[in-house]
């Protein structure tokens, strides 16, 4: 079960940095693939993509051709569209540096494509294609060029398409080299997706991201050392959820315990429980504050109440009193955190129970804040010798790991996962799940996933789902973690704006039921 790779290792899913892309290309060239052929392939594939979108082309096309091979791709596109009868003109904002690009450009002018000597007018209705700089750009670009492009983008008379990477955007960091980069309506990533394109910080620049396949052999992809997968809602169809035999008793259908809520934040406990129930786990039990415990039987009669948590004078939950009475080893997974509030003394007394727990420990929200404020800090994770998954958003992450520095959220998640031997969900517009070996970058997910209360729902859902999967495989990887996060995000995307976390919980239950039914039939 551990070897299953989800999603598959292919050029649609694998994300690389600019150096890795260069290595893959170089290997293809040294294996005998002519460079000219690869450029031709990229240019023709993009032209095909464009020809399926005729309304974009009807007012003519202006291609900005840069000095390197990104410009060469642009020249091939210009040629193909011109040959199909469209009005095409090109402009070269910089002197051409590469022979291949120059050859293509010379041919273009010989067949009658106009080569502008002055910059084009940003108020025209023609489509602009940014083939200025691509994967190997390393520094800031002339400000006037970016301004011109962005004038075009903002006036909305027509569209801007960036080839491979928007000019001015760092392919690795997903941020402009210096405050500005081309803003595109579409970015067409050639060969493989570059890390920078899938970062939250790139969202204002890339527009719709599409992948252009140029046939990178799987043997080359398998060799990419650090595996980062881009996953979208399309990858939901390949999620196999283990089906539990109907006659298996409830203790064998996943046992989870949630420690959630406080007098101050009772709602978080309801939502976490709702998430756990929607997973279909057989045995969901909880440690709850009295306010929630009193009424839980009315909303969720299937919950087994394990104990009641006292609250301190500020209304935050005291875990210790409950933890000392519970045998945690009876549970496949335990989730702690949603709405418990902060109580440093209580954490000091309680933490050993959690350190010693041998199952999957899921820590969220105030459990993470309690760790950040404790003496042990993030070393808690190193002291714990068993599987731990955490679900911070960026502020919680910074508090937990002040010494981890990376220019991207993806880098931060991977470094923390490696250094502290944990599974991490780094929540963002497009969330990231990482363990020490692999990373799953969610992409194109609904930003609604950040609605209030959804984090609590998610913690419970992860706890319940993992408890089920742990009954099949004692050593589940972060691949499962990533699947749960994607399922939860999809359920949120199905609900209308304004629907609350509880309604999304209902949607999640429905999704899980349907998914399992379809797998069985
Ligand atoms: N992946 C694939 O399968 C395929 C990829 N292909 C395509 O190749 C592209 C990569 O091409 P590339 O190596 O020529 O680099 P690219 O980014 O065009 O420009 C680098 C040049 O620009 C210069 N330069 C950089 N920044 C600058 C600045 N701010 N201001 C001024 N100058 C600047 C830099 O000069 P230097 O730094 O050396 O001074 C260098 O000469 C890739 O994105 C894709 O479109 C396809 O053709 C084949 C299949
Ligand atoms: K570009």
């Amino acid at each position: 079960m551990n070897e299953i790779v989800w999603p598959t290792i292919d050029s649609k899913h694998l994300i690389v940095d600019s150096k890795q892309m260069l290595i893959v290309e170089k290997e293809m060239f040294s294996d005998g693939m002519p460079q000219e052929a690869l450029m031709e392939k990229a240019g023709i594939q993009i032209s095909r993509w464009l020809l399926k979108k005729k309304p974009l082309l009807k007012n003519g096309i202006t291609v900005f051709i840069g000095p390197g091979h990104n410009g060469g791709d642009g020249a091939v596109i210009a040629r193909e569209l011109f040959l199909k009868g469209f009005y095409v003109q090109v402009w070269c904002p910089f002197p051409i540096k590469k022979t291949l690009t120059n050859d293509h450009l010379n041919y273009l002018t010989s067949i009658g494509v106009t080569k502008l000597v002055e910059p084009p007018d940003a108020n025209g209705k023609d489509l602009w294609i940014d083939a200025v700089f691509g994967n190997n750009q390393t520094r800031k670009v002339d400000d006037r060029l970016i301004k011109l492009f962005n004038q075009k983008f903002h006036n909305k008379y027509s569209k801007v398409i960036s080839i491979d990477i928007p000019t001015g955007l760092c392919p690795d960091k997903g941020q402009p080299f210096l405050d500005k980069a081309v803003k595109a309506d579409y970015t067409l990533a050639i060969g493989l997706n570059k890390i920078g394109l899938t970062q939250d910080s790139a969202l204002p620049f890339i527009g719709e991201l599409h992948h252009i396949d140029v046939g990178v052999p799987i043997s080359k992809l398998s060799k990419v050392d650090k595996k980062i997968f881009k996953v979208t809602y399309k990858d939901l169809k390949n999620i196999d959820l283990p089906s539990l035999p109907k006659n298996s008793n409830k203790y064998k259908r996943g046992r989870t315990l949630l420690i959630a809520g406080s007098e101050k934040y009772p709602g978080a406990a309801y939502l976490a429980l709702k998430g756990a129930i929607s997973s279909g786990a057989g045995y969901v039990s909880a440690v709850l504050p009295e306010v929630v415990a009193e009424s839980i039987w009315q909303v969720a009669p299937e919950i087994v109440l394990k104990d009641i948590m006292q609250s301190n004078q500020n209304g935050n939950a005291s875990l210790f009193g409950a933890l000392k009475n519970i045998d945690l080893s009876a549970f496949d997974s335990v989730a702690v955190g949603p709405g418990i509030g902060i109580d440093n003394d209580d954490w000091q007394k309680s933490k050993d129970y959690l350190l010693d727990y041998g199952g999957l420990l899921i820590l969220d929200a105030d459990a993470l804040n309690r760790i950040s404020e404790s003496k042990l800090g993030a070393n808690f994770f190193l002291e714990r010798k068993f599987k731990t998954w955490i679900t911070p958003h960026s502020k919680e992450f910074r508090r937990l790991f002040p010494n981890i520095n990376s220019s991207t959220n993806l880098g931060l998640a991977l470094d923390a996962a490696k250094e502290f031997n944990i599974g991490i969900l780094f929540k963002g517009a497009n969330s990231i799940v990482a363990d020490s070996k692999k990373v799953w970058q969610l992409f194109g997910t609904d930003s609604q996933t950040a609605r209030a209360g959804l984090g609590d729902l998610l913690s419970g859902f992860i706890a319940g789902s993992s408890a089920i999967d742990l009954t099949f495989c004692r050593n589940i990887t972060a691949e499962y973690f990533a699947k749960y996060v994607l399922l939860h995000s999809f359920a949120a995307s199905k609900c209308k704006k304004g629907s609350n976390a509880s309604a999304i919980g209902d949607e999640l239950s429905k999704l899980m039921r349907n998914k399992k039914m379809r797998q069985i039939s």
Side-chain angles (χ1 to χ4, degrees):
M1 209 156 178
N2 267 332
E3 274 100 58
I4 298 173
V5 174
W6 172 84
T8 43
I9 302 183
D10 59 23
S11 60
K12 227 191 282 172
H13 291 103
L14 208 62
I15 300 178
V16 290
D17 62 30
S18 56
K19 276 203 199 94
Q20 289 172 316
M21 185 71 241
L22 212 56
I23 293 171
V24 169
E25 268 177 61
K26 278 201 176 133
E27 281 191 12
M28 286 170 76
F29 298 146
S30 68
D31 286 354
M33 177 75 178
Q35 202 161 3
E36 291 83 346
L38 200 60
M39 182 180 284
E40 191 68 14
K41 212 167 170 180
I44 287 183
Q45 292 287 55
I46 293 174
S47 309
R48 282 195 188 134
W49 186 90
L50 286 165
L51 287 165
K52 283 192 212 137
K53 295 192 169 348
K54 292 253 164 63
L56 286 179
L57 310 174
K58 68 175 193 285
N59 294 313
I61 302 109
T62 301
V63 186
F64 287 63
I65 295 188
H69 284 167
N70 195 251
D73 291 348
V76 175
I77 298 162
R79 187 198 66 212
E80 288 301 295
L81 297 179
F82 178 79
L83 293 174
K84 286 279 183 297
F86 291 96
Y87 180 76
V88 179
Q89 55 183 16
V90 299
W91 185 52
C92 305
F94 302 100
I96 302 299
K97 282 194 178 164
K98 294 210 169 150
T99 319
L100 190 52
T101 306
N102 209 30
D103 292 347
H104 277 300
L105 196 61
N106 287 339
Y107 183 62
L108 274 183
T109 45
S110 82
I111 58 175
V113 172
T114 309
K115 190 176 165 198
L116 299 172
V117 280
E118 294 292 332
D121 178 9
N123 295 317
K125 291 194 172 149
D126 50 335
L127 170 74
W128 279 17
I129 296 185
D130 155 28
V132 184
F133 298 118
N135 185 49
N136 296 319
Q137 49 183 326
T138 51
R139 58 186 188 275
K140 101 174 202 30
V141 181
D142 187 333
D143 221 21
R144 285 167 301 176
L145 178 69
I146 306 287
K147 271 197 185 140
L148 185 69
F149 262 108
N150 290 346
Q151 197 185 336
K152 176 82 175 176
F153 177 83
H154 287 296
N155 74 20
K156 296 280 171 213
Y157 296 140
S158 63
K159 306 282 184 200
V160 174
I161 298 185
S162 281
I163 305 303
D164 211 15
I165 315 275
T167 292
L169 191 76
C170 174
D172 296 326
K173 295 183 182 160
Q175 292 158 11
F177 288 106
L178 196 84
D179 66 321
K180 286 194 190 73
V182 166
K183 286 184 183 169
D185 296 287
Y186 300 92
T187 296
L188 310 179
I190 301 174
L192 303 173
N193 287 292
K194 279 38 124 214
I195 279 185
L197 294 175
T198 57
Q199 298 303 298
D200 288 358
S201 57
L203 290 173
F205 303 98
I206 58 167
E208 260 182 47
L209 179 64
H210 292 269
H211 168 247
I212 300 293
D213 190 12
V214 294
V216 182
I218 298 287
S219 58
K220 298 276 171 280
L221 301 179
S222 309
K223 279 204 316 209
V224 170
D225 57 355
K226 149 181 86 181
K227 296 273 189 308
I228 305 173
F229 297 101
K230 169 170 169 269
V231 289
T232 66
Y233 293 149
K234 284 190 187 150
D235 296 304
L236 284 167
K237 65 174 183 303
N238 297 326
I239 293 183
D240 264 342
L241 299 168
S243 309
L244 296 153
K246 282 213 174 78
N247 56 359
S248 68
N249 91 37
K250 66 180 181 180
Y251 302 105
K252 291 193 179 145
R253 298 164 71 94
R255 298 155 303 172
T256 192
L257 173 71
L258 306 188
I259 303 178
S262 57
E263 256 174 40
K264 210 161 146 191
Y265 310 113
Y270 287 110
L271 291 171
L273 288 169
K274 184 140 198 164
I277 294 167
S278 67
S279 71
Y283 185 73
V284 179
S285 45
V287 173
L288 300 168
E290 199 162 359
V291 272
V292 180
E294 275 169 359
S295 56
I296 195 68
W297 63 271
Q298 290 168 321
V299 247
E302 56 272 69
I303 300 289
V304 178
L305 183 64
K306 268 281 155 194
D307 208 340
I308 291 178
M309 282 190 281
Q310 303 305 312
S311 294
N312 69 12
Q313 67 277 20
N314 300 323
N316 300 315
S318 302
L319 276 47
F320 175 68
L323 280 172
K324 71 178 182 356
N325 296 327
I326 297 175
D327 174 15
L328 293 181
S329 70
F331 299 96
D332 302 300
S333 67
V334 172
V336 188
I340 58 174
I342 307 277
D343 183 330
N344 294 335
D345 291 340
D346 175 55
W347 184 256
Q348 207 50 35
K349 287 187 284 177
S350 322
K351 69 173 190 335
D352 288 343
Y353 295 99
L354 300 175
L355 282 172
D356 294 341
Y357 166 56
L360 169 62
L361 180 64
I362 298 143
L363 298 168
D364 180 33
D366 280 336
L368 299 177
N369 293 328
R370 285 180 181 214
I371 291 175
S372 306
E373 290 195 13
S374 70
K375 248 195 263 148
L376 204 51
N379 287 330
F380 173 89
F381 305 121
L382 290 177
E383 289 215 357
R384 208 181 115 74
K385 302 297 172 218
F386 311 98
K387 198 177 280 293
T388 310
W389 288 355
I390 66 170
T391 60
H393 53 59
S394 92
K395 276 194 192 140
E396 286 161 351
F397 185 96
R398 299 251 166 234
R399 285 196 286 262
L400 269 175
F401 306 111
N403 298 326
I404 291 189
N405 292 305
S406 172
S407 49
T408 60
N409 290 350
L410 197 147
L412 289 171
L414 186 62
D415 289 354
K418 265 193 209 151
E419 191 171 332
F420 292 94
N421 195 24
I422 44 180
I424 297 191
L425 158 64
F426 192 114
K427 291 177 190 159
N430 285 311
S431 293
I432 294 155
V433 175
D435 66 10
S436 57
K437 293 192 196 85
K438 292 192 191 123
V439 186
W440 291 262
Q441 166 77 67
L442 273 66
F443 192 78
T445 48
D446 197 313
S447 55
Q448 301 285 328
T449 312
R451 268 175 282 184
L454 271 182
D456 305 326
L457 189 78
L458 176 60
S459 297
F461 180 64
I462 294 169
S465 301
S466 59
I468 300 174
D469 291 337
L470 281 161
T471 63
F472 289 85
C473 167
R474 291 317 296 172
N475 188 23
I476 63 172
T477 63
E479 181 178 317
Y480 288 81
F481 195 178
K483 289 176 183 176
Y484 309 147
V485 176
L486 190 67
L487 282 160
H488 165 267
S489 169
F490 182 68
S493 78
K494 285 282 171 208
C495 285
K496 286 194 195 71
K497 251 193 200 149
S499 42
N500 58 27
S502 175
I504 294 166
D506 294 336
E507 188 66 36
L508 198 50
S509 298
K510 213 164 71 189
L511 176 70
M512 296 305 284
R513 266 198 314 271
N514 289 346
K515 192 132 189 75
K516 296 202 173 177
M517 290 295 281
R518 231 174 298 132
Q519 276 175 211
I520 296 164
S521 58

